[in-house]
Amino acid sequence: MSSGKTYNVGILGATGTVGQRFISLLATHPEFRIHTLGASSRSAGKPYPQAVKWKMSSPIPECVKTVTVQTCEPQYFSECHFVFSGLDSDVAGEIEKAFQGADIPVFSNAKNYRMEPAVPLIVPTVNTSHFDVIPQQRALYNTKKGFIVTNANCSTTGLTVPLKALQDAFGPLDKIMVQTMQAISGAGYPGVSSLDILDNVVPYISGEEDKLETEPLKILGSVGSDGASFQELSQTTISAHCNRVPVLDGHLECVSLSFHQKPAPTPEQVIEVLEKYTCEAQSLGCYSAPEKAIIYDSSSDRPQPRLDRDNCKGQAVTVGRVRKCNILDIKFTLLVHNTILGAAGSGILNAEVAAAKGLFN
């Protein structure tokens, strides 16, 4: 972004862990200014430091220490150009719809509207072309400026970045098997009990496998001919196993896949494609866009959460161990920072792309 314009932004669910990550990432943003913070009625009326149990590794930013928390009602956010939603899905649906109806754009981390035909489900380093649906969404819901854009589930986000690179290079993908090892921060706060996760792996995360098997089909699909819906990749089938592991941040995923193209690409060809992949957010010069959307690490034992989750300030997906699969065609390991690119960072970069595309004008 190069306009130099400053945008007032609001954060819904500002006291939760995703809301806290939004604040920590936005505190030094050159064009997005934190203006209003929203949370439940229990927190409303309190200065932010009194309302929050701060869980980020960095201190509460100075810019929010004197901000009084409001309830999540559009009337308190009227001076915001748009809002980021870190709300829990139990309450996000009605609140986000109210903001859309009040002509305040919403960038949501919640699952409620991800699979709605007229709502873009965008991974900002994958499918920003899906912003093309916004005019049709506005017409459908009779709004002038309001819209809802969702980012994906954290594991879906990590998976779709290399899949997009491979799909662009080699055509439609056939079958995908993915096993995740997901960090505890993905469960929010207080999250998983210490008695459940210490010295243990939990081989079940409610709703996660369904998201990982369905969301990529929309993200990797194309806008329909009517301009208001999406065509799923019906030729692609995904099977997922999702596990919670005792890691603070960073989702590790082991992926095996096959291509419709035969002969299938070699590991060397796959690596070349991954290393050369670029996205629109980079070409637009967005502030939060990673220098490299995909980082390929040739080490035999990488990526690893502790060593690689912060690559490109958490906005890159790191891929390693690309090799031939004895059952499908290719297998590899990937790592995504689940609360940055996998959550708040996606919302922020999506908003940067939207600004560059003139969607707030």
Side-chain angles (χ1 to χ4, degrees), residues 174-194:
D174 184 16
K175 296 180 177 65
I176 300 167
M177 292 282 296
V178 56
Q179 294 82 36
T180 70
M181 289 156 276
Q182 297 181 217
I184 56 176
S185 58
Y189 180 82
V192 185
S193 165
S194 60

Side-chain angles (χ1 to χ4, degrees), residues 29-299:
H29 199 284
E31 297 192 43
F32 295 170
R33 172 180 172 268
I34 299 174
H35 185 278
T36 310
L37 301 178
S40 69
S41 58
R42 297 187 304 273
S43 301
K46 299 177 182 178
Y48 184 71
Q50 294 180 21
V52 68
K53 292 183 178 179
W54 187 256
K55 295 299 177 182
M56 298 292 104
S57 57
S58 56
I60 297 177
E62 291 294 326
C63 63
V64 297
K65 284 187 175 179
T66 59
V67 176
T68 299
V69 177
Q70 307 292 337
T71 54
C72 295
E73 300 174 74
Q75 66 193 65
Y76 300 115
F77 293 77
S78 60
E79 296 182 8
C80 294
H81 292 91
F82 54 88
V83 297
F84 297 109
S85 173
L87 293 168
D88 187 89
S89 60
D90 291 344
V91 298
E94 290 186 8
I95 293 174
E96 291 174 1
K97 184 65 71 174
F99 275 78
Q100 177 198 37
D103 267 337
I104 302 173
V106 179
F107 293 87
S108 173
N109 188 69
K111 67 181 181 181
N112 303 65
Y113 297 109
R114 287 175 182 165
M115 302 307 292
E116 287 291 319
V119 175
L121 173 59
I122 296 180
V123 175
T125 54
V126 173
N127 63 320
T128 49
S129 63
H130 288 190
F131 275 112
D132 291 348
V133 168
I134 294 300
Q136 288 75 19
Q137 185 192 135
R138 285 171 166 166
L140 179 65
Y141 292 104
N142 194 30
T143 63
K144 182 179 179 180
K145 294 184 177 181
F147 59 78
I148 297 174
V149 168
T150 63
N151 54 271
N153 168 268
C154 42
S155 291
T156 297
T157 298
L159 178 64
T160 55
V161 180
L163 293 188
K164 171 64 171 175
L166 297 177
Q167 177 180 280
D168 286 352
F170 304 115
L173 307 174
D174 184 16
K175 296 180 177 65
I176 300 167
M177 292 282 296
V178 56
Q179 294 82 36
T180 70
M181 289 156 276
Q182 297 181 217
I184 56 176
S185 58
Y189 180 82
V192 185
S193 165
S194 60
L195 287 176
D196 289 328
I197 198 62
L198 290 177
D199 189 33
N200 200 24
V201 172
V202 181
Y204 173 73
I205 306 172
S206 179
E208 204 78 358
E209 291 169 355
D210 177 67
K211 296 172 190 173
L212 198 49
E213 291 173 349
T214 57
E215 290 181 4
L217 305 181
K218 182 174 180 179
I219 294 165
L220 296 172
S222 57
V223 177
S225 59
D226 60 359
S229 62
F230 296 87
Q231 299 170 342
E232 292 187 349
L233 294 183
S234 58
Q235 294 177 306
T236 301
T237 303
I238 304 174
S239 179
H241 293 278
C242 295
N243 308 275
R244 187 75 72 193
V245 298
V247 170
L248 182 60
D249 290 313
H251 289 355
L252 195 71
E253 306 181 29
C254 297
V255 183
S256 293
L257 59 86
S258 60
F259 299 85
H260 285 283
Q261 171 185 309
K262 301 299 178 189
T266 66
E268 292 75 20
Q269 290 172 319
V270 166
I271 291 168
E272 182 180 8
V273 164
L274 296 177
E275 289 188 312
K276 290 182 177 180
Y277 177 72
T278 60
C279 63
E280 186 180 27
Q282 293 169 294
S283 63
L284 290 172
C286 295
Y287 172 74
S288 301
E291 182 180 351
K292 290 181 67 68
I294 300 172
I295 294 176
Y296 172 70
D297 194 317
S298 61
S299 304

